[in-house]
Structure formats: structure tokens, C-alpha cells
């Protein structure tokens, strides 16, 4: 499989696999790996990568008739641009358009782009979709970000209090989130609606600010010990070292008329621990 490594002027790096335009690694300047990547991930053509930032399009999970999480994460994307900007940021743009395989599954003509930008303590991933056909279509999408954790028992996700979620594990809708600092205890699979733009994942050694633009929902997923044993490409104990906080557009599919374009982004920024 083909990979592209970007290095910013200050040494921050990110690695992207051409399959799925899949961000596999992000190391901020002077820092350590911030994305979880399963040591048991197959890295085989046509097989989804377990970790990093899978791009989910045009269908989230099993919410439709397409293969789970759609086809974009296993499709071959083209590298369109790679450069270092005057501020020192390294950037790459990948693109995907309809092809025979996609048209067989999803009969729509589109152009999608994924832009990845790294500098300093931040990584920014922007996804855009344009309807290049002459009929409207709708889709669901997510940046399915696997964040690396030292120990899930010590991680807390801030910013969701006051929102409602669909609990995919129990099937319950409109569950109120009352916690100001969400702890993950076992299998968790939730779609939070209309979340604030910025969430913060706090660990004893650092905080990570997670900012989304254009994606109204957030998916919080961890398989827990019970779910993890059913995931063959998750390394043993991996569920204790990861949490997916996904920028998502799921609960209300995005509608695109001919010629229209939609953009969504997720920006991750490493911050020092709170005093
Ligand atoms: O194993 P996959 O296809 O990568 O999916 C992983 C998980 O992805 C999450 O986004 C879903 O909410 C979960 O329900 C799902 O299990």
C-alpha cells in the first residue's frame, strides 16, 4: 500500500495512506503519536484500516443498504497536491470521484476531496463533496478519528453535557447527556446530536481540543472488552488505549442538489494538561 508522509517546518508529521485517504499517524511538533493504530490492522488492499482516521462516506455504519461505513475508506484516492505553505504547514489534498465500483453500489456522480494539514500542535482534516451530476443525492459521513489514550480509565471527554444522543448499544433514542466529563466504562457507541463545535479530551498528561465545523453530530465509540474480542484486527487490550471521537453528519443526511458542495472539517489541537 502507498503512504505519504508530510512534515511541517517545525517537525510535526502526519502519514496518509492513499487507500481511503486514510490518516494513519499524527505526531505534533516535539510530541508523541496522537492517533491510535491497531498493531493487528491488516493493511491490505480493500480492507479497512483499524485506527487513524477512516473517512466514512457515503453511508455511516449500517444505516443504509451499502457496505458498512460506505466505500470511501477502502477506495483508491488520488494525490492532487502536496506542499509546504509559507507559515510552515505541510498539506496534502486527495480526491475521489465516481467509478465503476462506486456506481454499482451508489448510482451518483460526485467529486470528493480530503485535505490534511499539519503544523505545530494541530492537525486539520477537511472533507468536501460536490454533486457533479444532474440529480440530487444525500449521504451520511464521518471522520472516524481513533484518538490514542494512555489509559481509558483516566480519560474524560468534556463538552457534551446538555446534548442528546442515540445509544446504538441499547437502541434508545434521545438520551440526555448529563455528565460534564464523560467517562468510558465498557462498550460505548453513541451518536450525539448538534454538539458544540469544540470538545476536549482530557488525560492526566495532556488535553486534546477537538473542533468540528460542518459536521453537526459527534459519534463516541469504544467497543469495551466485550466488543473488542469480536474485532479480529484490534490488538489485545487495544480498547483501553483508544477512543473514537468522530466528527459526523449522520442523524440528518446531507442533501446535495446538482452543482452543490458540502464541506466538513475536524481540527485536533494538543494542549498542556489543565493546572
Ligand atoms: O468495525 P468498523 O466497521 O470499522 O466499525 C466500527 C464502529 O464504528 C462506529 O462509528 C460505529 O458507531 C460502531 O457501531 C462501529 O462498530
Amino acid at each position: 500500500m502507498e503512504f505519504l508522509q508530510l512534515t511541517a517546518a517545525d517537525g510535526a508529521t502526519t502519514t496518509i495512506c492513499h487507500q481511503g485517504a486514510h490518516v494513519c499517524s499524527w505526531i505534533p511538533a516535539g510530541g508523541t503519536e496522537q492517533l491510535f493504530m491497531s498493531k493487528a490492522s491488516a493493511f491490505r488492499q480493500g480492507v479497512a484500516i483499524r485506527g487513524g482516521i477512516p473517512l466514512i462516506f457515503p453511508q455511516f455504519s449500517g444505516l443504509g443498504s451499502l457496505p458498512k461505513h460506505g466505500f470511501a475508506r477502502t477506495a483508491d484516492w488520488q494525490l492532487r497536491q502536496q506542499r509546504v505553505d509559507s507559515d510552515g504547514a505541510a498539506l496534502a489534498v486527495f480526491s475521489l470521484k465516481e467509478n465503476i465500483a462506486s456506481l454499482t453500489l451508489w448510482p451518483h456522480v460526485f467529486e470528493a476531496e480530503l485535505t490534511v494539514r499539519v503544523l505545530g500542535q494541530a492537525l486539520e482534516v477537511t472533507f468536501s463533496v460536490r454533486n457533479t451530476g444532474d440529480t440530487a443525492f444525500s449521504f451520511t459521513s464521518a471522520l472516524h478519528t481513533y484518538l490514542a489514550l494512555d489509559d481509558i480509565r483516566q480519560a474524560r471527554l468534556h463538552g457534551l453535557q446538555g446534548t442528546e444522543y442515540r445509544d446504538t448499544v441499547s437502541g434508545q433514542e434521545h438520551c440526555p447527556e448529563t455528565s460534564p466529563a464523560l467517562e468510558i466504562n465498557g462498550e460505548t457507541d453513541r451518536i450525539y446530536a448538534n454538539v458544540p463545535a469544540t470538545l476536549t479530551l482530557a488525560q492526566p498528561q495532556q488535553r486534546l481540543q477537538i473542533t468540528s465545523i460542518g459536521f453537526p453530530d459527534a459519534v463516541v465509540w469504544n467497543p469495551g472488552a466485550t466488543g473488542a474480542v469480536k474485532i479480529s484486527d484490534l490488538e489485545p487490550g487495544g480498547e483501553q488505549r483508544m477512543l473514537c471521537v468522530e466528527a459526523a453528519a449522520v442523524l440528518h443526511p446531507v442533501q446535495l442538489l446538482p452543482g452543490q458542495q458540502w464541506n466538513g472539517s475536524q481540527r485536533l489541537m494538543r494542549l498542556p494538561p489543565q493546572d
Side-chain angles (χ1 to χ4, degrees):
M1 289 170 93
E2 202 176 343
F3 295 87
L4 172 72
Q5 182 169 7
L6 298 178
T7 305
D10 58 12
T13 65
T14 182
T15 305
I16 306 147
C17 182
H18 286 234
Q19 174 174 295
H22 192 126
V23 179
C24 292
S25 162
W26 165 44
I27 303 179
T32 54
E33 180 61 58
Q34 299 295 310
L35 300 178
F36 172 84
M37 177 57 67
S38 169
K39 294 183 178 69
S41 186
F43 286 106
R44 228 181 31 246
Q45 205 70 35
V47 178
I49 296 168
R50 179 68 63 196
I53 311 185
L55 168 59
I56 308 305
F57 172 82
Q59 175 191 293
F60 180 78
S61 198
L63 304 176
S65 57
L66 301 187
K68 189 177 174 196
H69 282 326
F71 53 76
R73 65 174 172 167
T74 51
D76 275 325
W77 289 63
Q78 303 298 313
L79 176 62
R80 289 288 172 215
Q81 262 195 66
Q82 182 193 348
R83 61 171 199 263
V84 175
D85 281 340
S86 52
D87 60 359
L91 177 146
V93 182
F94 286 83
S95 72
L96 178 73
K97 56 190 295 220
E98 80 287 346
N99 52 50
I100 291 171
S102 77
L103 288 167
T104 312
L105 291 166
W106 195 63
H108 302 294
V109 182
F110 67 95
E111 260 174 34
E113 273 191 356
L114 190 85
T115 303
V116 182
R117 185 178 187 275
V118 68
L119 179 67
Q121 302 307 303
L123 177 80
E124 193 168 74
V125 180
T126 303
F127 180 48
S128 71
V129 183
R130 198 150 63 87
N131 182 344
T132 48
D134 50 18
T135 52
F137 62 68
S138 66
F139 64 87
T140 49
S141 173
L143 295 169
H144 191 308
T145 307
Y146 286 72
L147 299 169
L149 301 176
D150 288 333
D151 179 352
I152 195 158
R153 291 170 301 182
Q154 298 197 311
R156 302 285 181 272
L157 185 60
H158 298 258
L160 292 168
Q161 188 180 31
T163 63
E164 288 191 341
Y165 60 91
R166 177 194 288 178
D167 189 333
T168 306
V169 178
S170 69
Q172 263 186 293
E173 303 272 352
H174 304 295
C175 308
E177 181 55 77
T178 55
S179 174
L182 182 67
E183 296 179 37
I184 306 296
N185 299 307
E187 186 176 8
T188 304
D189 194 356
R190 300 176 175 181
I191 308 170
Y192 286 88
N194 298 317
V195 297
T198 300
L199 307 176
T200 307
L201 181 63
Q203 297 189 74
Q205 302 309 320
Q206 70 164 42
R207 286 173 302 148
L208 197 73
Q209 198 178 70
I210 306 161
T211 304
S212 326
I213 298 173
F215 285 106
D217 308 324
V219 177
V220 177
W221 177 64
N222 180 285
T226 43
V229 292
K230 296 178 211 146
I231 304 177
S232 60
D233 59 355
L234 185 62
E235 68 194 48
E239 76 285 356
Q240 292 158 35
R241 296 186 287 276
M242 56 142 283
L243 180 65
C244 288
V245 181
E246 310 172 29
V250 173
L251 296 171
H252 299 286
V254 178
Q255 315 276 346
L256 277 188
L257 297 174
Q260 274 188 332
Q261 179 169 322
W262 173 89
N263 305 303
S265 71
Q266 187 185 50
R267 184 168 193 267
L268 307 174
M269 187 159 75
R270 193 172 70 126
L271 303 172
Q274 202 129 36
D275 311 322

